[in-house]
Amino acid sequence: MKIAILSRNEHLYSTRRLVEAALQRGHDVMVVDPLKCYMNITSSKPSIHYKHQSLENFNATIPRIGASITFYGTAVLRQFEMMGVYSINESVAITRSRDKLRASQILARKGIGLPITGFAHSTKDTDELIKLVGGAPLVIKILEGTQGKGVVLAETKNAAESVIEAFRSLNANILIQEYIKEAGGADIRCFVIGDKVVASMKRQGREGEFRSNLHRGGTAVKVKITPEERATAVKAAKIMGLKVAGVDLLRSNNGPVVMEVNSSPGLEGIEQSTQKDVAGMIIEFLEKNAKPGKTKTKGQG
Ligand code: ADP
Ligand code: MG
């Protein structure tokens, strides 16, 4: 197979591992920086140009599109889809999962357990909104944040009001969420490929930190998940339309609740804590599923 990995940086652990796994399995692989692509949008013969060459005859793409380049990155991916190239995660699914509010609405509609979540535009509604999610302590999130940036725990109603007003004055879109205290600063990352959780880890925030993100100094250990957690993770990825996903769950008193579904889940933490060849499993999935023209969206949406 000829595989394009859409990534800004070939030195990143995840990108390197995917290249390595593809080469090991005898594939042709190229790392393509989406920001350096330019495209010709025509219905007769769409094309993508990169470093003085036309990207042709690819069988599959693995998008690793960072949150900061979602807009242009998904446009490049859509172009691959228009050309009939199979993408392990399609552009529409990536866009969907990037917007926390949109993702929550889609998951809730399909009956996935979520923390109680509120959203409003006008500052006048702050009071009601806080009540809606059960009062303080509560969690406030910027809609398009990642790596724990833009996620704040407000311990009191006063703190919550101040933070909500501050974010609003910056015109940031935010959501407000019930704080799942019993999770104890930990979450469960389920790495889903196709219809299986292939690896799972528990991430624990460092002392005094409620956010478990590894980027915030959290640590990861392999964890055994329950059948309910497994089923929830697989279902959440499927609803979002992602073939590869990092589904983050919190262990709440009411069972697993989904916090987010990541479309470009990192490989470093999960491979190191579980000692599994997740990159190899991604390539294996492509070998079984990448068929020309097998894209649901053909660049729509
Ligand atoms: P990001 O996309 O920035 O990673 P998340 O929504 O995943 O944002 O939140 C970051 C971390 O904060 C989570 O991994 C979790 O540990 C903690 N967290 C987020 N929301 C809640 C919540 N409602 N209750 C308890 N902890 C939470
Ligand atoms: Mg997260």
Side-chain angles (χ1 to χ4, degrees):
M1 271 195 302
K2 193 171 162 192
I3 303 169
I5 299 176
L6 300 186
S7 164
R8 290 228 60 201
N9 184 347
E10 60 190 351
H11 303 296
L12 293 176
Y13 178 95
S14 303
T15 311
R16 273 195 289 118
R17 284 284 301 123
L18 287 165
V19 169
E20 203 173 272
L23 292 176
Q24 243 168 28
R25 292 169 162 269
H27 302 296
D28 217 357
V29 61
M30 180 171 172
V31 178
V32 174
D33 177 352
L35 292 192
K36 295 197 176 131
C37 290
Y38 55 99
M39 301 166 285
N40 168 10
I41 306 173
T42 65
S43 54
S44 58
K45 196 176 183 295
S47 62
I48 303 177
H49 302 273
Y50 182 69
K51 293 189 175 168
H52 310 294
Q53 54 175 311
S54 175
L55 299 182
E56 279 164 14
N57 304 322
F58 279 92
N59 304 95
T61 63
I62 303 177
R64 303 282 318 171
I65 294 169
S68 59
I69 63 151
T70 304
F71 179 74
Y72 198 74
T74 51
V76 173
L77 183 57
R78 258 194 312 278
Q79 189 82 354
F80 273 106
E81 291 163 7
M82 280 167 71
M83 292 159 61
V85 180
Y86 178 87
S87 178
I88 197 153
N89 279 339
E90 291 189 21
S91 54
V92 179
I94 294 172
T95 312
R96 248 187 233 136
S97 69
R98 278 290 148 81
D99 175 338
K100 285 179 202 259
L101 180 65
R102 185 173 177 195
S104 304
Q105 288 173 319
I106 294 170
L107 293 171
R109 193 170 68 201
K110 301 280 182 180
I112 294 282
L114 304 171
I116 300 171
T117 302
F119 175 80
H121 185 68
S122 153
T123 3
K124 287 197 300 258
D125 308 321
T126 306
D127 218 41
E128 285 297 308
L129 197 60
I130 291 175
K131 273 194 211 131
L132 196 76
V133 303
L138 53 82
V139 176
I140 301 159
K141 299 185 189 183
I142 296 184
L143 277 197
E144 293 188 1
T146 58
Q147 307 183 345
K149 287 177 228 156
V151 179
V152 180
L153 171 62
E155 308 255 12
T156 64
K157 182 161 179 280
N158 273 342
E161 282 169 357
S162 308
V163 175
I164 292 169
E165 277 161 23
F167 278 145
R168 287 248 174 86
S169 69
L170 295 169
N171 279 326
N173 279 314
I174 51 168
L175 60 77
I176 292 150
Q177 212 163 58
E178 153 196 27
Y179 175 47
I180 310 289
K181 187 159 192 258
E182 61 270 27
D187 74 349
I188 310 289
R189 159 60 60 94
C190 301
F191 202 105
V192 177
I193 302 180
D195 56 5
K196 287 197 186 77
V197 175
V198 299
S200 50
M201 63 177 168
K202 178 174 175 168
R203 295 177 299 194
Q204 179 75 54
R206 62 180 158 74
E207 186 75 34
E209 171 62 72
F210 83 105
R211 295 168 299 179
S212 59
N213 301 67
L214 302 182
H215 288 96
R216 304 261 76 76
T219 47
V221 288
K222 184 171 148 182
V223 71
K224 210 170 143 43
I225 56 171
T226 66
E228 190 188 7
E229 288 166 344
R230 190 172 290 279
T232 303
V234 169
K235 191 171 168 201
K238 189 157 194 260
I239 292 169
M240 298 307 296
L242 295 166
K243 305 291 172 17
V244 169
V247 181
D248 295 340
L249 305 173
L250 291 175
R251 287 182 162 164
S252 86
N253 290 338
N254 306 316
V257 288
V258 171
M259 220 173 12
E260 65 174 338
V261 182
N262 288 283
S263 56
S264 292
L267 296 181
E268 188 166 11
I270 196 84
E271 287 201 329
Q272 286 174 358
S273 58
T274 64
Q275 297 294 311
K276 286 189 176 163
D277 176 13
V278 178
M281 292 190 262
I282 292 176
I283 303 298
E284 201 180 325
F285 182 87
L286 279 185
E287 289 166 356
K288 293 196 187 115
N289 293 280
K291 303 271 164 14
K294 195 178 154 193
T295 74
K296 271 213 189 99
T297 55
K298 291 257 179 353
Q300 294 163 19

